[in-house]
Amino acid sequence: MKNAKPSFVREILKVANRADIISFAGGLPAPELFDVDGIRDATALVFEKNSTAALQYGPTDGVRGFKLQVSELMARRGVNSVKLEELIVTTGSQQGIDLIAKVMLDPGDVVLVERPAYLAAVQVFELYEAELRGVDSDADGLNLESLEVEIAALKKEGKRPKFIYTVATFGNPSGATLSLERRYKLLEIAAREQILLLEDDPYCELRFSGETLPPVIALADEAQRPWIVYMSTLSKFVAPGLRLGWMIVPDGLVQALTIAKQAADLHTSTFNQHVAAAYLETGRLEAALPRIREAYGIKAKAMIDALNGSFPAGTIEFNQPDGGMFLWAKMADSVDTFAFVKTAIDAGVIFVPGITFFPDAKRLNYLRLSFATPSVPDIQEGVKRLARAVVD
Ligand code: PMP
């Protein structure tokens, strides 16, 4: 812990809560999209039917009824025949990242992460004293040629990465999605090199444009499947306050992960699992999802239009994501967005400077803009403030 750094995003969120600040910083779901009535009704149902089981301790790997709902959800994502034994319910997918790191990593082990990478995963791997190596990504996700080069370079050093961590669909912070071709190729590399692939998939339900792509795990053949750990969560499309995630893990890791989870928290809240199972059983999620996707699509477009309209030509470039919560933007090479965020805060808007997402490279001129939480008028006003701050 002596070397541990506090999360910059969590620090920044303290400022983001100020009433005079428009925040593009956190990846918080839009509160107006929570299905409050649906969850209230599901809670009432739990009390009618199952209250003592919901209030009691439960199995470490999760409540059967919730696991059944998760396996149905996974079938809708194209991952068929998930066995209940390979499914572990976690306290948010963040716990999945922590558990796999706890089980797999010894100090000095190498972990490959996409660059830019999800900050809180980097934080976990650093806490377990891993050596992080970044692999560049672009609009189509992880660059697999760079991945092969990095693996080969490590071999020359006599090292083998313990795993590759990627958010293949609507990346955080990149918003990028790994193309279908690259999904197959990534599986081929992981199985050939015998490196575990951690697919972290919190955002896949939030697609507002383009063709649906199956998660990487859905494309794995029998020989490739043992090389994948898949993680997902209800946080981004039901509610993060439930703290409900899950992992699909190869047989060989089930026992170790279950023991690690038992030591961490015995089990994830039984009450919340019962409520979520009741909610998913009612089918109300299917009714809520189109509204959620549409709302994020509208917000993303509002931010893109505002950026195009407010920034002088050539001062900012950004991706056009098909889903998720983030725009990943690049300013002129001379701009240090870490310094710029202070000017932005004075102008009444906040974002996350890109440097925080590069564990092993110093790239100063990027910023992550979340369009998920603010209203459309606030997005428009916030971008105007940001553009004014650039000119200042
Ligand atoms: N992975 C990624 C890529 C995320 O963006 C997040 C949330 N910010 C998580 C995991 C963790 O989400 P939760 O623990 O709420 O499921």
Side-chain angles (χ1 to χ4, degrees), residues 92-94 97 118 165 167 172 200 202-203 233 235-236 240 243:
S93 49
Q94 188 65 33
I97 301 171
Y118 170 50
Y165 170 80
V167 181
N172 176 4
D200 185 12
Y203 296 106
T233 173
S235 289
K236 309 296 177 175
R243 308 306 304 125

Side-chain angles (χ1 to χ4, degrees), residues 11 42 69 89-90 101 118 144 186 194 257 314 350 352 354 378 389 391:
E11 293 298 307
Q69 289 301 317
V89 175
T90 54
Y118 170 50
L144 300 182
L186 180 58
Q194 309 209 324
L257 285 164
I350 192 168
V352 184
D378 277 357
V391 176

Side-chain angles (χ1 to χ4, degrees), residues 29-208:
E32 71 273 16
L33 297 175
F34 291 143
D35 184 0
V36 177
D37 290 338
I39 294 173
R40 186 191 293 118
D41 290 351
T43 310
L45 221 64
V46 169
F47 278 115
E48 270 167 39
K49 280 197 191 160
N50 234 343
S51 55
T52 52
L55 294 171
Q56 191 54 280
Y57 282 115
T60 298
D61 59 323
V63 169
R64 188 179 154 80
F66 180 58
K67 287 174 78 166
L68 285 168
Q69 289 301 317
V70 169
S71 71
E72 276 183 30
L73 186 74
M74 289 312 304
R76 290 200 289 280
R77 291 181 187 175
V79 189
N80 293 308
S81 63
V82 175
K83 291 180 282 170
L84 293 195
E85 306 81 70
E86 57 181 354
L87 197 58
I88 299 176
V89 175
T90 54
T91 303
S93 49
Q94 188 65 33
Q95 186 182 47
I97 301 171
D98 183 67
L99 293 177
I100 193 77
K102 189 188 253 183
V103 163
M104 296 285 296
L105 296 178
D106 292 317
D109 278 348
V110 175
V111 169
L112 295 176
V113 294
E114 59 198 353
R115 194 163 49 199
Y118 170 50
L119 185 63
V122 167
Q123 196 182 31
V124 169
F125 305 146
E126 285 181 344
L127 274 181
Y128 290 100
E129 298 178 38
E131 181 192 336
L132 267 68
R133 299 275 181 110
V135 177
D136 280 328
S137 64
D138 56 33
D140 282 336
L142 202 60
N143 180 324
L144 300 182
E145 275 157 33
S146 306
L147 177 66
E148 300 246 44
V149 168
E150 192 58 49
I151 294 170
L154 282 165
K155 268 188 201 159
K156 283 206 182 118
E157 294 172 44
K159 292 178 177 172
R160 254 167 60 85
K162 276 283 173 77
F163 49 74
I164 305 166
Y165 170 80
T166 183
V167 181
T169 306
F170 315 136
N172 176 4
S174 69
T177 292
L178 196 71
S179 66
L180 186 62
E181 199 189 334
R182 288 194 193 179
R183 283 172 196 243
Y184 282 113
K185 180 80 185 153
L186 180 58
L187 281 168
E188 189 260 306
I189 295 172
R192 168 177 25 100
E193 299 295 334
Q194 309 209 324
I195 303 171
L196 199 66
L197 179 66
L198 255 58
E199 181 181 20
D200 185 12
D201 194 21
Y203 296 106
C204 68
E205 301 290 347
L206 304 184
R207 177 178 285 280
F208 44 75

